[in-house]
Amino acid sequence: MLRLLCVTAHPDDEAGGFGGTLMHYAKLGVETFVLCLTAGHAATHRGGAKSDDELKQIRRREFADACRALKVHNAEVLDYPDGKLDRQDFHATVADLTRRVREIRPQVIMTFGGEGAITAHPDHSMVSIFATMAFHWAGRTNRFTDQLEAGLQPHITQKLYHSTTLFTMPDRQPVSQAPATAILELGQEGIDAKVSAFRCHTSQAPLFGFFEETVRRRGNKEIFHLAATSAPRKIQVESDLFEGVQE
Ligand SMILES: [Zn+2]
């Protein structure tokens, strides 16, 4: 069984950053997983919620709806504090994600780049760092050995991708992104599915117009950077994240 794990920061990242790719691989029979570290309760747009707890509940529901629309097999929102991922304990957070990698045992992980994607959100940057270290350490027998003593096995994920784009937003502060090494052509249908999954996040409705305009400008693509691979190789441009992966 092929498995794809996507690690994000906020409900709506799964659709906005990775939705077309999640849908694409689910349709090909890959088992897809999304781990979202926060419930997004620090959002500017609050969908009428009267408290952080109410917004958390709303956004967890919206996340579940979006993941269902994207045919994600296993979708989970964790309970890290939104907007504060840079103040979390590094060791404990990487241990948590490493345990989940050892349990899920994906061949491919995708997450943000260290720049924090085109919005440069610090939570996105921290998710990149935590997930990247979980990718590297899940396979090592000398990292988080308590998990191994408790019965988990080390797991070497074969490929790690960071999302990237081929454009910048001129009205925002500049971000420096990783070069594109994998370009997924998702077709009109794939991009329409991504836009409609994003629209499940109704608390974020004020962003819909801007989001759709930005997505359509990208063409029918999602773009990634191969950040690490278990089989050493030269860089090449891929059209499939599972290229060369052994089941
Ligand atoms: Zn986000």
Side-chain angles (χ1 to χ4, degrees), residues 9-10 12-13 112 121 124:
H10 314 110
D12 78 14
D13 293 339
F112 294 112
H121 195 302
H124 298 169

Side-chain angles (χ1 to χ4, degrees), residues 19 24 48 66 70 98 105 120 122 145 152 160 180 219 223 227 238:
H24 173 76
L70 294 169
T98 298
R105 310 186 80 74
T145 51
L152 283 175
L160 171 68
I223 296 174
E238 300 171 308

Side-chain angles (χ1 to χ4, degrees), residues 163-186:
S163 61
T164 189
T165 69
L166 288 170
F167 67 93
T168 55
M169 295 202 282
D171 49 341
R172 301 265 187 128
Q173 289 190 42
V175 291
S176 302
Q177 298 189 92
T181 71
I183 300 176
L184 261 76
E185 296 286 350
L186 300 163

Side-chain angles (χ1 to χ4, degrees), residues 91-108:
H91 187 266
T93 310
V94 177
D96 183 9
L97 291 186
T98 298
R99 179 176 56 76
R100 292 165 192 277
V101 170
R102 285 171 172 168
E103 287 168 351
I104 295 168
R105 310 186 80 74
Q107 291 89 357
V108 176

Side-chain angles (χ1 to χ4, degrees), residues 51-85:
S51 66
D52 280 2
D53 278 344
E54 195 183 338
L55 184 55
K56 277 187 187 183
Q57 279 179 28
I58 292 170
R59 299 205 71 188
R60 283 175 184 276
R61 266 200 308 274
E62 293 170 349
F63 172 83
D65 291 345
C67 287
R68 205 172 304 116
L70 294 169
K71 308 200 181 305
V72 173
H73 293 84
N74 291 277
E76 193 178 349
V77 179
L78 309 182
D79 204 20
Y80 287 91
D82 187 13
K84 294 181 182 165
L85 291 185

